């Protein structure tokens, strides 16, 4: 159920969406070429797409994003928390992160495909690799920012490491974790498009490129709109988690 205080935000989103479509329509009139179709034609094309086919493409894309993000979060959270809580491990792993983080991971796509083939594994691994280091750094810094005296309070009442993690480390880093997930989703969706161009017949990236090669520009833009809608829904899911588990920020 939509709360009253959320209505102005939804109205602003609606106005921005309408404004973007107006700009799109004006560009369509100015450019007057088939490479930029009328937005109404694109929406009509969306309505005429095969629902079952689109569901398969979206399903494959969501699976790849979800698998890549989950793997990156499992590894990134574990390493980030370890580096944030242990000066010794931070001293050991920090140079590794420092040297490998600037490497453009998308350039490793041919290498990953050589080792793991053109199937699902290489696509999921590429998403994981690109997200992993930004998750490690964000979580490490978030955990380091938690004051030490917060743990001292629990130590004085006999809390063990698991209880300290559950009651202090995780809640203290949760804001950073959710922000990182939000950023990671945007990055993952961008990377997904490149990985779905090769070695697959399913996924929204493949669907968009296939429409482009057939010069069906209305269908191509329809695919881009659907791809954007998937990303928007994922962003809303993170907003819901933030509202659900971080009510103290409201």
């Amino acid at each position: 159920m939509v709360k009253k205080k959320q209505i102005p935000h939804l109205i602003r989103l609606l106005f921005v969406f309408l404004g973007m479509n107006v700009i799109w329509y004006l560009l369509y009139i100015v450019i007057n070429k088939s490479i930029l179709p009328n937005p109404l034609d694109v929406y009509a094309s969306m309505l005429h797409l095969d629902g079952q086919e689109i569901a398969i493409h979206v399903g494959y894309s969501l699976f790849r994003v979800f698998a890549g993000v989950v793997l990156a979060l499992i590894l990134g959270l574990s390493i980030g928390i370890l580096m944030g809580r242990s000066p010794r491990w931070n001293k050991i792993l920090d140079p590794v992160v420092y040297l490998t983080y600037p490497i453009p991971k998308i350039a490793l796509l041919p290498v990953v495909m050589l080792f793991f083939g053109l199937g699902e594994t290489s696509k999921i691994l590429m998403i994981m690799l690109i997200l992993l280091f930004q998750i490690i750094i964000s979580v490490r810094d978030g955990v380091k920012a938690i004051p030490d005296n917060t743990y001292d309070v629990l130590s004085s009442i006999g809390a063990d490491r698991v209880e300290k993690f559950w009651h202090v480390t995780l809640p203290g880093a949760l804001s950073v974790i959710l922000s990182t997930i939000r950023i990671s989703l945007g990055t993952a969706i961008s990377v997904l498009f490149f990985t779905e161009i090769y070695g697959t017949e399913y996924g929204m990236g493949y669907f968009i490129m296939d429409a482009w090669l057939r010069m069906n520009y209305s269908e191509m833009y329809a695919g881009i709109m659907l791809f954007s809608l998937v990303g928007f829904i994922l962003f809303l899911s993170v907003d819901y988690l933030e509202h659900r588990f971080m009510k103290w920020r409201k």
Side-chain angles (χ1 to χ4, degrees):
M1 185 176 180
V2 179
K3 296 182 179 180
K4 289 183 178 180
K5 62 181 179 180
Q6 293 176 318
I7 292 176
H9 180 61
L10 294 175
I11 293 174
R12 286 195 297 271
L13 287 176
L14 179 60
F15 273 110
V16 170
F17 177 73
L18 292 175
M20 291 172 65
N21 279 273
V22 170
I23 294 172
W24 181 357
Y25 183 76
L26 293 175
L27 288 173
Y28 156 73
I29 294 174
V30 172
I31 295 175
N32 194 26
K33 292 183 179 180
S34 61
I35 58 174
L36 184 64
N38 187 327
L40 296 177
D41 293 338
V42 173
Y43 293 125
S45 180
M46 288 177 64
L47 295 175
H48 289 91
L49 292 175
D50 186 334
Q52 185 174 359
E53 179 187 0
I54 289 298
I56 292 173
H57 287 301
V58 171
Y60 269 87
S61 293
L62 283 176
F63 167 72
R64 290 160 183 159
V65 169
F66 181 77
V69 170
V70 167
L71 284 175
L73 282 173
I74 291 173
L75 290 174
L77 290 175
S78 301
I79 298 172
I81 290 172
L82 180 64
M83 293 176 68
R85 290 292 298 139
S86 171
R88 178 185 177 186
W89 278 106
N90 184 59
K91 187 177 181 179
I92 294 171
L93 295 175
D94 187 64
V96 179
V97 174
Y98 185 82
L99 289 173
T100 54
Y101 181 67
I103 297 173
K105 310 303 183 300
I106 196 66
L108 297 176
L109 179 59
V111 178
V112 173
M113 287 184 170
L114 283 174
F115 279 92
F116 298 97
L118 302 178
E120 300 300 315
T121 303
S122 61
K123 295 173 175 56
I124 293 171
L125 282 177
M126 277 307 304
I127 294 173
M128 184 204 73
L129 282 174
I130 290 176
L131 303 182
L132 178 62
F133 293 94
Q134 64 188 52
I135 292 174
I136 290 173
I137 292 172
S138 297
V139 172
R140 181 200 63 185
D141 294 345
V143 171
K144 277 186 173 182
I146 300 173
D148 291 334
N149 57 12
T150 309
Y151 294 98
D152 295 338
V153 173
L154 288 182
S155 298
S156 65
I157 59 175
D160 57 25
R161 290 185 177 181
V162 175
E163 290 173 326
K164 291 178 182 178
F165 169 79
W166 188 255
H167 294 290
V168 177
T169 305
L170 185 59
L174 189 57
S175 176
V176 174
I177 292 171
L178 290 175
S179 297
T180 303
I181 292 174
R182 186 181 285 108
I183 296 171
S184 299
L185 283 174
T187 307
I189 293 171
S190 301
V191 174
L192 179 67
F193 176 81
F194 290 100
T195 61
E196 288 184 335
I197 294 174
Y198 305 100
T200 184
E201 295 181 355
Y202 301 104
M204 290 307 299
Y206 169 82
F207 177 86
I208 292 168
M209 290 301 296
D210 180 64
W212 175 65
L213 291 172
R214 291 185 287 105
M215 292 188 292
N216 188 339
Y217 298 122
S218 293
E219 191 170 291
M220 181 189 76
Y221 282 97
I224 293 172
M225 295 293 291
L226 288 171
F227 209 12
S228 302
L229 180 61
V230 170
F232 182 67
I233 291 172
L234 292 174
F235 267 55
L236 288 180
S237 300
V238 178
D239 286 342
Y240 170 77
L241 291 175
E242 186 176 38
H243 176 76
R244 175 70 177 80
F245 295 107
M246 300 190 66
K247 294 183 178 180
W248 55 269
R249 295 186 64 184
K250 305 301 178 183

